[in-house]
Amino acid sequence: MLIPLSFDALGQEKKLHAEAVVLKLGTDSMNLYLYLVNYGNMQKGIITNSVNQTESVYQDETHKIGKTKVGLTSYPSWNIIDYKTGENWACTIGENHKTAVRTCYPPPIDSSSYYSLSYADKFKKIAGFNCQKMIIVNKVTKVEDSMYVCKDLNNFDYRFGNKFGKIDFIVRSYTHVGKTTLVYTVVKADKIDVPSDTFVIPRDFIRFQSTEEYVKWTKKIQKN
């Protein structure tokens, strides 16, 4: 689902009063951030290296490979997700082409009934937010985990994609992959006005209805 453009009587593009949430990926100071703009069921996500960077831009960066410094240009890319339908568009501006690749997953299933949630008597300030620890127990596997929530941010709707249902605003959560634990921390949460075309794929992008279609196209242009 794409939101159509709308204009007021003066011909100016209308704004959407959306939510902007920034997550830090990991605990290292060099790790990246995920900048999310949320409006209803729609979400736009951009990976950035700055907590204050609201738009993805072209960047010339220097990377050290061994003893050699290599200059690279990073190009903007973002995902537009409709959580109601499960549709996901991966948009990328490359050196020569602008592309949007569609994938579609089943809409999220409410699995909150599989978990029992309880508050722990432990409070912590995280990224300036007053948080409380919450214990999560999977009723099926009996695996226990935890996260930190902030009731002061409960006026945000950013939680609709969460498997635990609409609980208190989650500031810090953990994902376990084998022996590795991935940490996600909300470091910024604002309500802002964004252009109504924020969730619209630009007209000059080449659209692909599947990853297979995109891969076939890339192989074709590589031969030319």
Side-chain angles (χ1 to χ4, degrees):
M1 180 187 77
L2 296 180
I3 299 174
L5 295 179
S6 58
F7 298 83
D8 61 20
L10 298 176
Q12 297 175 322
E13 185 180 344
K14 289 185 178 179
K15 299 285 187 175
L16 302 175
H17 194 56
E19 297 178 351
V21 177
V22 183
L23 284 86
K24 187 174 184 179
L25 310 179
T27 56
D28 191 282
S29 61
M30 298 298 291
N31 285 14
L32 295 173
Y33 299 90
L34 176 59
Y35 182 90
L36 303 174
V37 180
N38 308 282
Y39 181 80
N41 291 314
M42 303 298 294
Q43 183 179 87
K44 180 179 180 179
I46 306 170
I47 296 288
T48 173
N49 57 8
S50 169
V51 68
N52 296 314
Q53 183 176 315
T54 58
E55 292 294 336
S56 185
V57 296
Y58 295 94
Q59 292 181 333
D60 292 321
E61 300 176 347
T62 301
H63 297 264
K64 191 173 182 181
I65 301 177
K67 295 183 178 180
T68 305
K69 289 186 177 180
V70 179
L72 298 174
T73 301
S74 61
Y75 296 95
S77 63
W78 61 92
N79 283 67
I80 299 174
I81 303 172
D82 184 342
Y83 281 100
K84 187 174 182 180
T85 64
E87 190 173 58
N88 180 356
W89 286 92
C91 304
T92 304
I93 296 179
E95 188 172 356
N96 300 310
H97 301 94
K98 301 176 182 179
T99 60
V101 183
R102 177 180 180 268
T103 56
C104 198
Y105 303 100
I109 299 174
D110 183 2
S111 58
S112 57
S113 60
Y114 291 99
Y115 299 91
S116 64
L117 307 175
S118 60
Y119 293 104
D121 190 24
K122 183 175 181 180
F123 299 86
K124 189 175 187 179
K125 182 160 281 194
I126 300 175
F129 304 121
N130 297 315
C131 301
Q132 183 173 5
K133 188 175 183 179
M134 179 168 275
I135 304 299
I136 314 137
V137 179
N138 188 305
K139 296 178 181 178
V140 178
T141 64
K142 307 302 180 184
V143 173
E144 182 178 305
D145 208 340
S146 65
M147 59 187 174
Y148 283 86
V149 299
C150 178
K151 293 182 179 181
D152 295 339
L153 297 174
N154 281 355
N155 61 329
F156 279 76
D157 288 326
Y158 167 69
R159 277 163 294 176
F160 53 75
N162 193 278
K163 64 183 178 182
F164 304 120
K166 191 172 177 64
I167 62 171
D168 293 331
F169 188 100
I170 301 172
V171 173
R172 176 167 291 170
S173 59
Y174 307 91
T175 300
H176 308 287
V177 182
K179 295 182 179 180
T180 303
T181 298
L182 306 177
V183 183
Y184 301 88
T185 304
V186 172
V187 295
K188 194 174 182 181
D190 292 313
K191 293 193 176 183
I192 61 174
D193 289 328
V194 298
S196 59
D197 64 352
T198 297
F199 306 97
V200 176
I201 301 169
R203 293 182 179 180
D204 59 344
F205 275 53
I206 305 172
R207 297 192 184 201
F208 300 92
Q209 293 300 319
S210 67
T211 304
E212 292 76 16
E213 185 181 328
Y214 171 71
V215 171
K216 185 177 180 180
W217 174 79
T218 55
K219 289 181 179 179
K220 183 178 179 180
I221 63 172
Q222 286 172 358
K223 292 179 180 178
N224 298 334

